[in-house]
Amino acid sequence: MRKTLYIIGLSTFVFSCTSQQNVKKNTYKPKTPVAQAKPAVKPATPETPKPKIVSDHGVDFFTTNIADPTKNDNTASYGSIVSAKPAGYKVVKTYFPAIAQNFRQRYLILHYTALPDDKSITVLTQQAVSAHYLVNNIGDNEIYQLVDENKRSYHAGVSSWRSDKNLNDTSIGIEIVNAGYSTDSTGKRIFATFSDEQVRKVAALAKDIIVRYQIPATNVLAHADIAPTRKQDPGPMFPWKKLYDEYQIGMWYDEMTKQNFFNIAQADFTTRYNDPSFIFLIQTALQKFGYGVEPSGKWDDATKKTIEAFQYHFRPQNYDGIMDAETWAILQALGQKYPTK
């Protein structure tokens, strides 16, 4: 009996010890936390100091561009900074200028006066029409400024180009003293020429304005371009190609591209001239290029005047307002070179 009890007791002890060992083996031991490396803190980039505003007799000027010119942003002020003067408060320029800004002056429009020098001055300064500049025809080295570039002059009237309308709001106008046109016995308009001195003045003035306001070639236009149904100036005698070739001013087509289109255009005009779908195609091309013509599928009066204005600018050898193969080829070449964005 004693022996039996001994064996039972010994077995219980062994089982108990074994269980305790197993428990010890399975006991959870928390892992020692690993310290995470803290991200390096980049030192703040010091802000580049802005150029100072220059004050002269209480008037402020800022003539430096600190914006991104690739976005057509420009902070330079050509002239004094115009500021509000609210009663009881002080306007400060502590954070001037913001970089997100550009010029209102986005177009350059050229005109002729159809008047001699003295009458041109009187009309443009004393009546309800004006321009920012007047280029005389007396052979001197002077150009008359009539309106501050920061203000609207009344030179464009009812006008449009591409998606923009009322171009007085966004343009600078240059008037050129010129007799305009007379009409011959057949009713054809005969336009007066421009002197070499005038052309050089216009080129120098236009170049200065275009560079300062970053005006693209597509926005250097004739009054006839932006109001083709009612205006002809500066007419077919104005040397647009000379300005393009010698001064890089405005638009012109590439001759080789024009010739490639011309070969196809000749066949179109032989078989499709009065086809409404073809007329609609040409009207749409004029509209897409920039002219304010409504496609109708008809050779209507507005279309004829628009073609005439186009020819004044880009095909001055023949400005009869009739679309022909050469005019159509030039329009297509220009549309390819200066696409609407």
Side-chain angles (χ1 to χ4, degrees):
M1 183 68 178
R2 289 181 180 176
K3 186 176 182 180
T4 302
L5 292 172
Y6 176 77
I7 293 171
I8 292 170
L10 180 60
S11 300
T12 302
F13 176 78
V14 172
F15 178 79
S16 175
C17 290
T18 304
S19 299
Q20 288 179 11
Q21 289 175 357
N22 290 338
V23 170
K24 288 181 180 179
K25 288 180 180 179
N26 295 330
T27 301
Y28 173 76
K29 293 183 179 180
K31 295 180 180 180
T32 304
V34 179
Q36 296 292 330
K38 294 182 178 180
V41 178
K42 294 182 180 180
T45 303
E47 184 178 347
T48 304
K50 295 179 181 180
K52 293 182 178 180
I53 295 171
V54 177
S55 294
D56 185 14
H57 294 86
V59 179
D60 292 337
F61 299 86
F62 190 88
T63 58
T64 307
N65 180 28
I66 63 169
D68 185 353
T70 64
K71 297 179 181 178
N72 201 35
D73 292 345
N74 198 312
T75 61
S77 296
Y78 298 124
S80 60
I81 301 166
V82 179
S83 305
K85 296 180 180 179
Y89 297 90
K90 181 180 181 182
V91 172
V92 298
K93 299 181 180 66
T94 307
Y95 305 105
F96 185 95
I99 62 172
Q101 59 177 289
N102 60 19
F103 295 116
R104 296 180 185 274
Q105 299 89 335
R106 298 189 294 113
Y107 286 88
L108 179 63
I109 310 300
L110 273 58
H111 310 254
Y112 61 46
T113 62
L115 295 168
D117 284 277
D118 54 348
K119 289 186 178 179
S120 295
I121 294 169
T122 300
V123 169
L124 290 171
T125 59
Q126 303 300 320
Q127 297 186 21
V129 61
S130 62
H132 293 88
Y133 295 98
L134 173 62
V135 176
N136 66 38
N137 194 27
I138 58 178
D140 62 11
N141 69 340
E142 294 184 343
I143 297 171
Y144 308 141
Q145 181 167 7
L146 311 180
V147 177
D148 183 344
E149 288 182 4
N150 289 325
K151 294 185 178 179
R152 297 169 70 248
S153 69
Y154 304 157
H155 66 98
V158 178
S159 53
S160 68
W161 185 256
R162 296 193 172 181
S163 60
D164 294 327
K165 299 184 184 301
N166 299 319
L167 298 188
N168 277 341
D169 296 344
T170 54
S171 66
I172 289 178
I174 298 176
E175 286 277 3
I176 309 165
V177 173
N178 179 274
Y181 68 86
S182 58
T183 305
D184 67 11
S185 59
T186 66
K188 182 180 179 180
R189 292 171 179 153
I190 307 300
F191 288 83
T193 60
F194 294 84
S195 68
D196 292 339
E197 291 84 358
Q198 282 184 305
V199 173
R200 286 194 290 269
K201 281 185 183 182
V202 171
L205 176 60
K207 191 71 173 180
D208 174 80
I209 293 168
I210 289 165
V211 170
R212 282 190 290 117
Y213 294 115
Q214 304 167 23
I215 297 174
T218 53
N219 290 8
V220 181
L221 301 164
H223 197 187
D225 291 324
I226 63 172
T229 61
R230 62 187 187 86
K231 293 296 179 180
Q232 298 79 38
D233 53 315
M237 299 306 291
F238 186 77
W240 286 105
K241 189 175 188 303
K242 180 181 179 71
L243 262 63
Y244 176 84
D245 288 340
E246 298 183 15
Y247 301 94
Q248 297 75 54
I249 292 172
M251 297 179 282
W252 202 257
Y253 57 88
D254 296 329
E255 185 62 36
M256 184 176 295
T257 306
K258 170 229 167 175
Q259 193 59 45
N260 291 337
F261 280 114
F262 180 69
N263 295 333
I264 301 170
Q266 285 181 306
D268 286 338
F269 276 83
T270 302
T271 59
R272 303 175 63 194
Y273 184 77
N274 288 314
D275 183 341
S277 65
F278 183 58
I279 300 170
F280 190 91
L281 176 66
I282 290 173
Q283 291 169 327
T284 302
L286 284 164
Q287 185 186 63
K288 190 174 181 180
F289 182 59
Y291 290 92
V293 61
E294 292 298 327
S296 64
K298 300 177 182 179
W299 295 119
D300 51 32
D301 186 61
T303 301
K304 181 181 184 298
K305 289 179 178 177
T306 302
I307 293 168
E308 192 174 59
F310 178 83
Q311 291 171 332
Y312 288 157
H313 193 144
F314 299 106
R315 214 282 296 272
Q317 299 82 3
N318 185 353
Y319 47 88
D320 56 10
I322 298 173
M323 180 62 73
D324 56 16
E326 185 177 20
T327 305
W328 177 222
I330 292 170
L331 174 57
Q332 291 178 91
L334 286 165
Q336 184 180 99
K337 186 174 181 180
Y338 304 103
T340 305
K341 296 182 179 179

